[in-house]
Amino acid sequence: MTGTITFRRKAADRVMKWTFTLCALLVVLPLFLIFFDLLIKGAKELRWSLLVDLPHPVGEPGGGIANGILGTFVITLLTMTWSVPVAVMSGIYLAEYGRGKFASAVRFAVDTLTGVPSIIMGIFAYVLLVLPMKRFSAWAGAAALSMIFIPVVVRTTEDMLRTVPTTVREAALALGIARWKATLRITVRTAWPGILTGILLAMSRIIGETAPLLFTALGNQFWQTKLDQPMAAMPLQVFTYAISPYEDWHDKAWAGALVLITMVLLINIAARVLTREKR
Amino acid sequence: MKRISGTSRALIAAVALSLAVVSGASAEPLMMNGAGATFPYPLYSKWFYEYSNANPGVRFNYQSIGSGGGIKQITAGTVDFGATDAPMTDEEMKKTSGPILHIPMALGAVVIVYNLDKIGTGLKLTPDLLAGIYLGKITRWNDPKIAEQNKAVTLPNADIVVAHRSDGSGTTDIFTNYLSAVNTEWRAKAGHGKSVNWPVGLGGKGNEGVAGVVKQTPGALGYVELAYAKQIKMKVAALRNRDGNFVSPTLEATSAAAAGVAKSMPDDFRVALVNAPGKDAWPIAGLTWILVYKDQKDPARGKAMVQFLKWAIKDGQKMEAALDYAALPKAVAEKVDKTLRRISFKGKSLY
Amino acid sequence: MAARSGKISKDFAFEKASAFFASVVLFLTVLLFAVLLRESLPALRKFGASFIVSGTWDPVREQFGALPFIYGTLVSSILALLIAVPLSVGAAIFIDEFAPPWLKSPVSLLAELLAAIPSVIYGLWGIFVLVPILRDAFMKPATKYLGWIPLFKGPVYGPSMLAAGVLLAIMIIPFILSVTREVLATVPQRQKEAVLSLGGTRWEMLRIVIGQHCVPGIFGATVLGLGRALGETMAVTMVIGNRPEIFASVFQQGYSMAAVIANEFAEAGGLQLSSLILIGLLLMLVTLIVNLGAKGMLSRIVARAARGI
């Protein structure tokens, strides 16, 4: 009798163990499939010309996504120009001075913003910039992306600063250093690798964003550096090529996606290496 | 300590330098923005590419978002020019900030494409069959009414997956104009316009979207501009025209549809070509226009626009045949050229 | 004295400067709501509450209703949860309880990488790999034998509510997984040991212990996953079919709130634009409630665990 019960229980245990293993396998399987496909399908159109040429008209083979690479670079840099100072300073405020109703309101606002779908940020930038300017532009694209970038970096900056032990701050003040200097030169500096990691991870996120750019930066077939004009971006081009009915554009979509994911991963890895270096 | 401040300094320098390079670039070509019809996009795409190569000082950026979008954007003033295959209605023209000119650029054909493995190209359809399919009354490929016209082939026993446009489309305008002209039930139920209440079917965005749906769905049928059908190597149906002949969509058939139009072309060029008479005429042909304001707000941009349109109406026409668009009849092209002189800045012609 | 007040005013300046930046963030948030509200007013005034229950989306006759999009957003997200939650919980348990130590980091790293992949790349993979596989290996045979059930009714084209649900599931798994792992970590070790020492099998221990401690936390993780799925745009619009109609069958196309905004916004004007922005406002409110609810739930659980309850 006891033997049967034990057998059943043991069998259940084993079945569940394999179920959990299966779950883990199924969870990582898509990752392998996606990377496998990106490498194989992306390799087809991956040649030097893809990175340096401009798109050719429909039906003509060749051409590339150089304007998309430039556009992503320009828009991302533009976004970070104001977003990094705003976010880091806000994070410093919340961590170092943030007690009371105002700080709670700011934290709540940040929590709210992180939950807003990215396409809504596109609407925001469209109403505030595209409509009055009467045109699509890199500015509008950057404005939309900054609404995604800022809350993330505020959160990570505050978290990183909070990990700096109070003793460090107290020691600095005990030495007679002014509070603002202590905050910047010592606390922030101590937390800096973590803060930079947060910035890099947010950057890798906005590089891949498509929805906010759909009706702000809009996209452009040409090499374009003017900030007040529509600008190309890599995720936009991948999207346009993917939903087109042309086979060679599909191949370019995969190649563009491969370039994009490489960029994203490189930045991610850089961010992780930084955190490890700190230790 | 030193390392970090060095990094920050380098970062700031990089940012400043990049921004200086990016915003200070003065030797930039003039960027003209346009948006609208997907119908002529294969042609315009080629035009803008060739024109930009020949004229490095100017670039034309075209967003292929559908005629409806083109009309909205030129009305809002967010683009330098719009493009449409559906002429603006009087009501739409009232909403613009100034008089708008319709500049015809080419003739195209709306063709019926389908995705059937075992059947070749050239399936025969009559106007009533087409209307019946789009009304949802004929739902299977081997419907006796279809089989009647195609006795030489065995049609599969499969659902017809109908595809249409989901966005505001001039191609739809031409297509529904045709269906309304040849079928009273269609005219009553759905009518004619850039967007209609489709009784059945899947929506695709732009000509590309419909082409994509048909290409990827076995048993699908849709309407696209001829250049798309050719580029994606799709099977096209032969339609019975007004004169009673089954014609295939070719350059010649499109031109035949336009044969009579030169005489009756109104001054503002807003005319439809559906169900044209002629024994070889393709029944669903249409003009496609570029929309520009008669009174330009910026002399440099206005001049660039007029220069391009002059090129399009002369040299551009020569590129059309290769992409299966029909060139405008000579008389029409001359009339257009005269109209271009009306585009002006502060009263002075920019021609 | 003079030197001291100089220092204080610099401190003051720095504090106020950083407060200024923080207030910019607050201002932008308020501005976001204000802008969305103002722009959606025309549609709100014209349609009122019927906007949520109307199924007509007709740009020609200017009649707009959000029901098909609300339906699509909800159904695709719920489908995604049905798939993602069991898999995520199972994988989390595997990593924490059954995986050999050398396997723990790689597997969790892989799960994190899934979170870094941009949505448009998921969509690309969805169109060309997932949809054809689902269509040919699952949907078409299912329709043949089970097509009489409304849920599986054909005809099968490929892009579908099911495809969107599966793709969304893959995308939200990393988030549910990482939160579940945190929740599992709050289970006191001695409780686990107690059950095991009484002769329970691993599975029985997990069942009892997780059942007792982790259900609210896993629920919180689920709600968090829901919040992410609701707002997903690119991947969904690339595989859902973009058809503003409501079908019982998950093999049919659908549309979502985020997808219709993505597709129609650039060309919309007037009442259509206002209606799209109203949809955006509704989407934002729903995701906000869901996300803040999830965070509230989870922070309480983590706090209780820290206190050792």
Side-chain angles (χ1 to χ4, degrees):
Chain A
M1 270 257 250
T2 329
T4 328
I5 298 173
T6 315
F7 173 74
R8 209 178 339 126
R9 287 167 59 200
K10 271 213 182 114
D13 185 69
R14 199 169 298 153
V15 163
M16 289 318 289
K17 179 176 174 186
W18 287 114
T19 308
F20 295 134
T21 313
L22 184 66
C23 288
L25 281 172
L26 286 175
V27 162
V28 296
L29 180 68
L31 187 72
F32 286 114
L33 286 179
I34 294 176
F35 275 107
F36 179 73
D37 281 317
L38 277 171
L39 283 170
I40 305 265
K41 297 191 165 77
K44 215 166 150 201
E45 272 279 340
L46 196 65
R47 51 183 87 93
W48 192 241
S49 65
L50 185 81
L51 299 174
V52 296
D53 276 347
L54 294 179
H56 282 182
V58 162
E60 276 181 39
I65 52 173
N67 55 341
I69 298 176
L70 174 77
T72 292
F73 179 71
V74 169
I75 295 177
T76 306
L77 209 61
L78 189 60
T79 306
M80 290 174 64
T81 309
W82 65 73
S83 300
V84 170
V86 169
V88 171
M89 284 300 276
S90 300
I92 291 175
Y93 175 78
L94 288 179
E96 304 298 314
Y97 307 99
R99 284 159 282 274
K101 289 215 179 93
F102 175 64
S104 307
V106 174
R107 282 199 193 91
F108 186 70
V110 169
D111 271 349
T112 303
L113 284 182
T114 51
V116 175
S118 60
I119 193 155
I120 309 285
M121 306 308 192
I123 299 181
F124 181 67
Y126 181 82
V127 172
L128 287 183
L129 286 177
V130 175
L131 282 184
M133 280 173 67
K134 284 193 181 256
R135 69 162 71 94
F136 300 99
S137 63
W139 286 112
L145 289 181
S146 58
M147 294 289 281
I148 300 171
F149 186 90
I150 289 176
V152 172
V153 177
V154 170
R155 179 86 72 67
T156 53
T157 303
E158 185 189 355
D159 286 347
M160 285 300 126
L161 285 171
R162 281 188 191 280
T163 66
V164 174
T166 337
T167 45
V168 171
R169 293 187 187 85
E170 285 169 2
L173 291 174
L175 286 171
I177 303 176
R179 182 140 186 222
W180 71 275
K181 254 194 198 163
T183 306
L184 268 185
R185 289 261 162 88
I186 300 192
T187 315
V188 171
R189 185 156 284 162
T190 316
W192 184 246
I195 298 177
L196 190 57
T197 303
I199 293 174
L200 287 177
L201 287 176
M203 179 179 165
S204 80
R205 163 125 179 239
I206 60 171
I207 281 181
E209 283 283 346
T210 318
L213 298 179
L214 284 175
F215 34 84
T216 49
L218 193 70
N220 197 317
Q221 297 104 304
F222 295 105
W223 184 263
Q224 212 287 102
T225 54
K226 283 219 180 88
L227 300 176
D228 64 340
Q229 293 287 334
M231 183 167 282
M234 293 207 49
L236 280 180
Q237 278 184 307
V238 171
F239 178 60
T240 308
Y241 286 162
I243 59 173
S244 76
Y246 312 114
E247 290 286 344
D248 63 325
W249 277 20
H250 293 167
D251 295 331
K252 290 206 175 66
W254 282 105
L258 185 58
V259 174
L260 182 62
I261 193 74
T262 306
M263 281 195 221
V264 168
L265 286 181
L266 282 177
I267 300 176
N268 258 283
I269 292 171
R272 276 170 221 286
V273 163
L274 255 158
T275 329
R276 217 173 292 156
E277 238 177 53
K278 185 195 179 193
R279 297 189 219 291
Chain B
M1 240 199 218
K2 266 198 190 137
R3 211 182 63 205
I4 293 176
S5 64
T7 314
S8 322
R9 249 183 255 150
L11 199 66
I12 294 171
V15 169
L17 186 65
S18 319
L19 281 179
V21 165
V22 157
S23 48
S26 52
E28 277 280 304
L30 180 63
M31 201 79 205
M32 301 289 288
N33 292 312
T38 59
F39 183 92
Y41 180 62
L43 176 65
Y44 289 176
S45 160
K46 175 96 181 154
W47 274 359
F48 295 138
Y49 183 74
E50 296 291 338
Y51 189 76
S52 291
N53 285 344
N55 301 275
V58 66
R59 292 255 184 285
F60 281 82
N61 181 35
Y62 183 74
Q63 291 302 318
S64 174
I65 60 176
S67 303
I71 292 175
K72 285 206 170 91
Q73 297 234 15
I74 191 71
T75 307
T78 46
V79 287
D80 296 300
F81 65 96
T84 176
D85 339 299
M88 287 174 80
T89 62
D90 293 331
E91 245 186 67
E92 282 170 339
M93 292 186 76
K94 279 199 203 110
K95 293 193 187 142
T96 60
S97 61
I100 282 217
L101 297 173
H102 287 69
I103 313 285
M105 293 273 94
L107 291 149
V110 178
V111 306
I112 306 298
V113 289
Y114 55 92
N115 182 340
L116 285 175
D117 249 357
K118 305 207 174 71
I119 312 286
T121 189
L123 186 75
K124 293 200 174 81
L125 293 175
T126 67
D128 286 323
L129 279 181
L130 198 53
I133 291 174
Y134 270 86
L135 281 168
K137 295 170 74 182
I138 300 179
T139 56
R140 299 194 78 83
W141 282 105
N142 59 352
D143 189 295
K145 295 205 191 84
I146 306 182
E148 203 186 349
Q149 301 294 335
N150 295 278
K151 295 214 172 75
V153 293
T154 327
L155 294 161
N157 181 16
D159 287 314
I160 305 181
V161 179
V162 176
H164 56 71
R165 292 285 288 271
S166 61
D167 50 334
S169 152
T171 314
T172 299
D173 190 70
I174 298 174
F175 183 60
T176 52
N177 194 354
Y178 170 70
L179 286 182
S180 299
V182 298
N183 188 287
T184 46
E185 199 182 343
W186 177 269
R187 186 161 14 147
K189 280 224 173 94
H192 157 213
K194 288 195 286 294
S195 173
V196 299
N197 227 341
W198 298 96
V200 291
L202 298 180
K205 198 156 186 284
N207 264 296
E208 307 88 346
V210 175
V213 169
V214 177
K215 180 139 174 107
Q216 294 187 13
T217 314
L221 172 142
Y223 60 92
V224 294
E225 207 283 327
L226 178 58
Y228 289 89
K230 276 256 169 111
Q231 252 165 18
I232 309 168
K233 302 194 181 52
M234 304 183 77
K235 298 177 179 151
V236 291
L239 285 183
R240 194 173 64 196
N241 67 8
R242 189 159 164 179
D243 282 19
N245 301 322
F246 280 100
V247 278
S248 290
T250 57
L251 194 54
E252 292 76 26
T254 313
S255 306
V261 83
K263 294 177 228 117
S264 57
M265 179 68 78
D267 281 339
D268 66 354
F269 298 111
R270 289 153 68 197
V271 73
L273 295 175
V274 294
N275 214 19
K279 68 175 171 64
D280 296 318
W282 177 252
I284 327 183
L287 279 171
T288 189
W289 297 266
I290 283 194
L291 301 168
V292 285
Y293 280 101
K294 178 164 102 48
D295 305 307
Q296 290 289 312
K297 298 208 170 59
D298 179 313
R301 299 181 91 84
K303 184 126 185 102
M305 197 70 229
V306 175
Q307 293 306 316
F308 171 75
L309 290 172
K310 275 167 71 182
W311 176 90
I313 208 70
K314 291 207 177 68
D315 295 320
Q317 300 290 307
K318 301 190 191 115
M319 296 181 193
E320 288 174 352
L323 293 163
D324 286 293
Y325 291 89
L328 298 172
K330 265 223 170 62
V332 177
E334 280 167 12
K335 210 169 178 181
V336 172
D337 198 56
K338 283 209 196 86
T339 310
L340 290 180
R341 290 169 208 274
R342 293 172 61 200
I343 303 175
S344 52
F345 173 69
K346 290 202 166 107
K348 197 157 161 261
S349 168
L350 290 165
Y351 189 81
Chain C
M1 218 38 117
R4 180 84 85 71
S5 47
K7 268 205 198 134
I8 289 174
S9 72
K10 267 201 189 140
D11 273 344
F12 183 75
F14 184 73
E15 183 181 341
K16 289 307 161 194
S18 61
F20 168 72
F21 283 106
S23 66
V24 167
V25 178
L26 188 59
F27 170 68
L28 286 175
T29 311
V30 173
L31 189 62
L32 176 65
F33 280 91
V35 161
L36 285 182
L37 207 61
R38 187 190 69 192
E39 297 298 317
S40 51
L41 272 180
L44 201 56
R45 254 180 268 147
K46 174 133 197 243
F47 302 115
S50 70
F51 189 70
I52 302 183
V53 292
S54 162
T56 318
W57 188 265
D58 192 343
V60 177
R61 289 170 192 78
E62 299 229 302
Q63 280 299 319
F64 299 108
L67 190 62
F69 313 111
I70 297 174
Y71 177 82
T73 302
L74 287 178
V75 171
S76 58
S77 303
I78 291 174
L79 262 178
L81 286 178
L82 287 173
I83 300 172
V85 172
L87 283 180
S88 304
V89 173
I93 295 176
F94 172 79
I95 295 175
D96 282 348
E97 301 289 330
F98 293 102
W102 56 267
L103 205 54
K104 278 203 220 281
S105 309
V107 174
S108 37
L109 177 69
L110 289 175
E112 272 181 60
L113 280 181
L114 272 175
I117 299 179
S119 176
V120 71
I121 297 187
Y122 273 112
L124 175 69
W125 182 78
I127 297 180
F128 294 119
V129 181
L130 183 67
V131 164
I133 292 179
L134 268 182
R135 179 184 64 207
D136 296 328
F138 179 64
M139 296 203 282
K140 278 205 169 124
T143 306
K144 224 170 173 194
Y145 301 114
L146 298 172
W148 47 274
I149 306 176
L151 200 63
F152 300 129
K153 198 158 171 293
V156 169
Y157 308 128
S160 55
M161 194 69 85
L162 180 67
V166 172
L167 195 55
L168 276 177
I170 298 175
M171 294 172 76
I172 64 176
I173 280 176
F175 302 98
I176 303 181
L177 180 64
S178 78
V179 175
T180 304
R181 286 191 67 198
E182 278 177 41
V183 170
L184 290 177
T186 68
V187 173
Q189 192 63 21
R190 34 192 178 79
Q191 290 233 354
K192 290 187 190 170
E193 287 163 7
V195 177
L196 287 174
S197 66
L198 286 172
T201 62
R202 214 58 178 295
W203 160 235
E204 285 164 353
M205 176 269 284
L206 287 170
R207 201 178 61 203
I208 294 169
V209 145
I210 291 175
Q212 232 177 34
H213 285 269
C214 303
V215 170
I218 293 178
F219 183 65
T222 306
V223 177
L224 198 70
L226 175 66
R228 290 213 62 102
L230 290 174
E232 214 5 272
T233 311
M234 301 315 295
V236 171
T237 188
M238 287 162 98
V239 300
I240 201 169
N242 298 334
R243 193 166 169 193
E245 283 177 59
I246 297 179
F247 294 102
S249 164
V250 294
F251 291 170
Q252 288 306 310
Q253 284 82 9
Y255 222 152
S256 80
M257 295 162 86
V260 68
I261 296 173
N263 283 317
E264 300 198 0
F265 204 84
E267 337 161 355
L271 193 60
Q272 186 178 8
L273 186 67
S274 179
S275 304
L276 286 171
I277 297 183
L278 182 53
I279 290 182
L281 182 65
L282 289 172
L283 180 63
M284 186 171 81
L285 290 175
V286 170
T287 42
L288 235 43
I289 293 172
V290 167
N291 274 312
L292 292 175
K295 282 189 186 132
M297 269 187 257
L298 290 171
S299 65
R300 252 186 290 141
I301 288 164
V302 173
R304 282 168 80 205
R307 275 182 282 147
I309 291 175

